[in-house]
Amino acid sequence: MDGDGMITITESAQEYLVGLLAKQDAEVRGIRVFINDPGTPRAETCIAYCRDADIKGDDERRAFDGFEAWFEARSLPFLEDALVDGVIAGDDEGV
């Protein structure tokens, strides 16, 4: 999705996610990105651990270096030009 107007996950965010995913059980396949209440004032972008049961048939799959991500189809139009970036502040890290 990089370069085509869709969500970008920076290298630092990818490294952070790889570290988080490495600590999860084997059932976790990657991450799932979706928006609760898309197109409304209550919209909230979510990144969650993804297991087989979480993957929907119309999700868009994308492989990254060290993990896979699934993007909810109905959320894709709202993720255009979105950026996920890793931030390091002292000893605290986050996405």
Side-chain angles (χ1 to χ4, degrees):
M1 279 186 253
D2 288 343
D4 63 5
M6 293 304 293
I7 191 169
T8 298
I9 301 178
T10 66
E11 187 175 322
S12 61
Q14 290 179 45
E15 290 171 4
Y16 179 74
L17 290 167
V18 166
L20 286 178
L21 290 164
K23 299 173 187 174
Q24 303 307 306
D25 62 52
E27 291 180 12
V28 174
R29 297 208 30 210
I31 62 168
R32 188 161 189 270
V33 181
F34 57 97
I35 298 177
N36 284 334
D37 300 320
T40 72
R42 296 184 331 227
E44 179 180 41
T45 304
C46 304
I47 299 176
Y49 295 120
C50 185
R51 294 172 173 78
D52 285 336
D54 301 321
I55 300 169
K56 311 293 185 238
D58 59 352
D59 282 353
E60 184 173 309
R61 182 190 154 277
R62 184 171 176 201
F64 290 90
D65 190 19
F67 70 98
E68 293 179 308
W70 285 265
F71 298 87
E72 179 184 54
R74 76 177 187 139
S75 298
L76 287 173
F78 302 98
L79 292 170
E80 288 187 21
D81 299 320
L83 176 68
V84 178
D85 194 10
V87 177
I88 300 174
D91 293 335
D92 297 327
E93 296 181 10
V95 174

